[in-house]
């Protein structure tokens, strides 16, 4: 089957392929206001101990629920604007879906690993780069320009740039595929095909992004409290006035509460009686992307090609389509660019099937049961085979020192994502992502359930929009002048 025949699904394919890449839909200056109104550690994982109580008083001008990229961008800019801001994170690590974790000396990315635009500046910059610039934080990166593609017809090294990928498509698929891809560029990935473009991977892993955002926020007086699980958003006289923690403590928000949780998880935090039916119906009627399978591996580099690239994409069957379950596997081996992510002469690898694993297969299973373990082994096999194809005969799954299989239940548990979802399944041209205000005064939302949507640049933009909605226009102008926009 030619690529062109599956391209109607490419909105999802692009989120699947590169959820963290800059796209032309989010390249506008999102430090501008929406019309709708402890230094970083060397290993890319912020060294903040879990605390039973958070630093300072149990109040702030703005209380932010969740320390994902969107929440941290919102918090950092608000702190930069001089607001008293407090981020409450249920997990013992910040970063949400972009957090990193360490096991046996291997430092793993939990989510996004394909990035671009960190070094750009000015109005056309990646929104995350704009926020980091505003916070005075730099993010050293390794640059590269290609990834390996494995398809039923063969395999090839695909390079970004003005012509190379189109040549690859025509050679390995069809002229129709090229025409479909060109149509897609009216709203996505135009930067990939410009002269001089490149991909970037943060040295020390994706956790370095979180480090920089947390460090920048704290530098301006913002606070982060880990292990602080929000049980509900408190509504008084019709307005959001704070949150209640699992511990029973009330944390007051003088100006606003901002939820970085998904729309479905935010809804769970609200008293039913304060939610308008139209708002409830919109959330309940919004379709969800499916969930993830993850495979995290740590292994010796002996026998592995010295020319191994960081990224590999395996498509098993064109007939099924790129958004079918068990069909597309993405593989990241970031230790080839940032060796400190693994012990000497070792590699760290993250393979995943993003947004395509049905949650219904896992729903209700006991994570300690034999049934669950057997299903993990069955559903992870496609990732193991993809890794074996990409790494070659020198790789042995039996010799891996770390083997972690994550399921939709893992995704739901550790990231507190409703049904482990990747986010709203909103198709371009058919519907739009919700805005950031809510029907409840003083309650705002940011993250991948809001405009401009899913992906690191998009959620960074959403956090910036909310921050700018809570301060004056003169403060916007001053900040834009300060960073040269």
């Amino acid at each position: 089957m030619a690529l062109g025949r599956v391209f109607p699904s490419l909105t999802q394919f692009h989120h699947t392929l590169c959820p963290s890449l800059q796209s032309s839909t989010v390249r506008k200056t999102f430090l501008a206001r929406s019309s709708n109104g402890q230094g970083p550690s060397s290993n890319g994982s912020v060294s903040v101990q879990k605390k039973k109580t958070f630093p300072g008083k149990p109040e702030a001008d703005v209380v932010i629920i969740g320390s994902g990229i969107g929440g941290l961008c919102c918090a950092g800019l608000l702190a930069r604007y001089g607001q008293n801001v407090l981020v409450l994170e249920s997990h013992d690590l910040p970063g949400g879906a972009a957090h990193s974790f360490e096991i046996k000396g291997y430092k793993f990315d939990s989510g996004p690993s394909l990035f671009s635009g960190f070094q750009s500046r000015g109005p056309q910059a990646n929104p995350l780069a704009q926020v980091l610039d505003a916070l005075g934080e730099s993010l050293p990166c390794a640059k590269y320009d290609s990834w390996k593609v494995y398809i039923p017809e063969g395999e090839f090294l695909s390079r970004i740039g003005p012509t190379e990928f189109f040549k690859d498509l025509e050679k390995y698929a069809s002229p129709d595929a090229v025409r479909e891809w060109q149509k897609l560029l009216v709203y996505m990935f135009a930067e990939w095909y410009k002269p001089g473009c490149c991909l970037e991977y943060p040295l020390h892993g994706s956790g370095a992004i979180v480090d920089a955002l947390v460090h920048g926020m704290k530098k301006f007086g913002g606070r982060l409290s880990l292990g602080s699980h929000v049980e509900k958003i408190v509504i008084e006289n019709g307005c959001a006035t704070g949150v209640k923690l699992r511990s029973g403590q009330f944390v007051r928000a003088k100006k606003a509460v901002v939820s970085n949780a998904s729309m479905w998880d935010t809804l769970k935090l609200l008293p039913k009686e304060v939610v308008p039916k139209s708002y409830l119906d919109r959330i309940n009627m919004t379709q969800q992307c499916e969930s993830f399978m993850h495979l995290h591996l740590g292994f010796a580099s002996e026998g592995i090609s010295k020319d191994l690239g960081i990224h590999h994409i395996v498509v098993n069957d064109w007939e099924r389509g790129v958004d079918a379950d068990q069909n597309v596997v993405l593989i990241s081996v970031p230790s080839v660019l940032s060796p400190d992510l693994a012990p000497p002469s070792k590699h760290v690898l993250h393979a995943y099937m993003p947004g395509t694993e049905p949650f219904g297969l896992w729903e209700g299973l006991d994570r300690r049961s034999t049934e669950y373990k057997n299903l993990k082994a069955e559903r992870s096999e496609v990732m193991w085979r993809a890794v074996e194809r990409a790494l070659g005969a020198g790789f042995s799954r039996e010799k891996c020192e770390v083997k972690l299989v994550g399921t939709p239940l893992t995704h739901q548990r550790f990231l507190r994502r409703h049904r482990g979802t990747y986010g709203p399944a909103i198709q371009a041209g058919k519907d739009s992502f919700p805005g950031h205000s809510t029907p409840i005064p003083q309650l705002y939302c940011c993250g991948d359930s809001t405009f401009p949507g899913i992906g690191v640049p998009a959620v960074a933009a959403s956090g910036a929009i909310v921050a700018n909605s809570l301060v004056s226009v003169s403060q916007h102008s001053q900040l834009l002048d300060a960073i040269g926009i």
Side-chain angles (χ1 to χ4, degrees):
M1 182 177 185
L3 264 172
R5 290 177 58 193
V6 296
F7 268 36
S9 310
L10 272 175
T11 298
Q12 169 129 5
F13 178 55
H14 281 101
H15 290 316
T16 299
L17 177 65
C18 23
S20 51
L21 279 171
Q22 174 181 357
S23 70
S24 56
T25 55
V26 295
R27 286 176 62 246
K28 299 175 183 177
T29 305
F30 279 101
L31 285 177
R33 182 176 183 145
S34 166
S35 59
N36 295 322
Q38 187 171 329
S41 65
S42 61
N43 64 6
S45 179
V46 176
S47 299
V48 185
Q49 291 184 345
K50 182 176 178 180
K51 298 181 179 180
K52 294 182 180 179
T53 58
F54 45 79
K57 295 181 179 180
E59 65 178 25
D61 293 330
V62 181
V63 172
I64 297 177
I65 303 169
S67 66
I69 296 293
L72 289 177
C73 285
C74 183
L77 287 181
L78 285 171
R80 173 72 166 76
Y81 284 130
Q83 300 293 304
N84 181 353
V85 62
L86 172 62
V87 180
L88 301 173
E89 171 57 51
S90 180
H91 202 348
D92 58 1
L93 291 171
H99 80 276
S100 65
F101 61 96
E102 180 174 341
I103 295 178
K104 296 182 178 180
Y106 293 93
K107 305 168 187 70
F108 294 100
D109 294 335
S110 68
S113 58
L114 192 57
F115 304 93
S116 73
F118 282 132
Q119 307 307 316
S120 56
R121 292 294 180 267
Q124 301 303 312
N126 183 318
L128 179 55
Q130 289 184 344
V131 173
L132 291 171
D133 198 19
L135 297 178
E137 294 293 321
S138 61
L139 192 67
C141 293
K143 296 183 179 182
Y144 62 105
D145 66 355
S146 63
W147 69 94
K148 194 70 174 288
V149 180
Y150 306 82
I151 59 179
E153 296 83 356
E155 57 190 59
F156 61 93
L157 185 69
S158 180
R159 296 186 182 278
I160 63 173
T163 60
E164 292 297 329
F165 191 64
F166 295 110
K167 291 180 181 177
D168 291 337
L169 282 181
E170 186 165 8
K171 178 179 178 181
Y172 293 97
S174 72
D176 287 341
V178 174
R179 285 191 289 271
E180 291 293 330
W181 193 279
Q182 288 172 329
K183 290 179 184 178
L184 196 68
L185 294 179
V186 297
Y187 65 96
M188 295 190 82
F189 299 130
E191 291 78 14
W192 267 27
Y193 309 106
K194 293 180 178 178
C197 61
C198 68
L199 299 172
E200 299 165 310
Y201 183 78
L203 297 180
H204 317 309
S206 64
I209 302 171
V210 177
D211 284 3
L213 289 171
V214 171
H215 185 253
M217 176 192 70
K218 289 187 173 184
K219 183 167 58 181
F220 290 99
R223 293 177 288 158
L224 168 66
S225 179
L226 301 174
S228 296
H229 181 74
V230 174
E231 285 275 298
K232 70 177 182 178
I233 298 169
V234 177
I235 309 297
E236 298 174 335
N237 299 320
C239 297
T241 59
V243 299
K244 182 179 179 182
L245 304 183
R246 177 175 289 166
S247 65
Q249 186 168 22
F250 171 65
V251 182
R252 180 166 296 281
K254 298 178 182 178
K255 293 185 177 181
V257 173
V258 178
S259 176
N260 188 206
S262 76
M263 60 171 70
W264 303 281
D265 294 293
T266 299
L267 189 62
K268 296 174 186 176
L269 300 176
L270 290 168
K272 293 181 179 179
E273 62 272 15
V274 306
V275 180
K277 184 177 185 303
S278 59
Y279 187 65
L280 176 66
D281 289 345
R282 160 122 198 203
I283 292 175
N284 287 336
M285 291 173 61
T286 300
Q287 291 188 337
Q288 301 171 10
C289 294
E290 292 289 2
S291 192
F292 282 66
M293 288 291 294
H294 296 271
L295 182 64
H296 288 97
L297 304 176
F299 54 93
S301 60
E302 182 181 1
I304 305 299
S305 172
K306 301 295 183 184
D307 297 326
L308 180 69
I310 177 175
H311 285 117
H312 308 258
I313 301 168
V314 179
V315 179
N316 293 315
D317 184 355
W318 287 123
E319 292 292 335
R320 298 191 63 222
V322 294
D323 55 354
D325 68 305
Q326 297 274 294
N327 198 26
V328 176
V329 179
L330 281 74
I331 300 169
S332 172
V333 193
S335 49
V336 303
L337 295 180
S338 187
D340 65 311
L341 295 176
S345 301
K346 311 282 186 180
H347 276 311
V348 61
L349 180 148
H350 178 203
Y352 54 104
M353 295 182 289
T356 61
E357 180 66 8
F359 185 82
L361 293 176
W362 304 85
E363 192 167 13
L365 290 181
D366 183 341
R367 292 182 293 104
R368 297 163 295 184
S369 68
T370 300
E371 182 182 5
Y372 177 71
K373 293 176 182 177
N374 290 341
L375 189 60
K376 280 179 69 172
E378 174 190 335
R379 300 293 289 182
S380 64
E381 181 62 25
V382 65
M383 295 187 292
W384 280 108
R385 292 198 304 267
V387 169
E388 289 167 344
R389 182 177 180 186
L391 270 59
F395 172 79
S396 170
R397 64 172 80 180
E398 289 75 20
K399 293 182 180 179
C400 289
E401 297 177 6
V402 176
K403 304 177 187 179
L404 300 174
V405 176
T407 72
L409 297 185
T410 312
H411 213 69
Q412 179 185 48
R413 179 187 178 201
F414 285 98
L415 300 183
R416 300 197 180 279
R417 301 280 296 183
H418 178 65
R419 296 178 64 84
T421 183
Y422 184 33
I426 294 176
Q427 295 185 10
K430 295 187 177 181
D431 201 353
S432 59
F433 280 84
H436 307 92
S437 60
T438 73
I440 299 170
Q442 297 177 198
L443 175 62
Y444 295 80
C445 294
C446 67
D448 61 15
S449 286
T450 65
F451 176 83
I454 297 173
V456 170
V459 298
S462 75
I465 291 171
V466 173
N468 290 320
S469 299
L470 295 173
V471 297
S472 68
V473 173
S474 62
Q475 287 177 289
H476 303 171
S477 299
Q478 291 170 7
L479 180 57
L480 293 174
D481 289 342
I483 63 174
I485 295 179

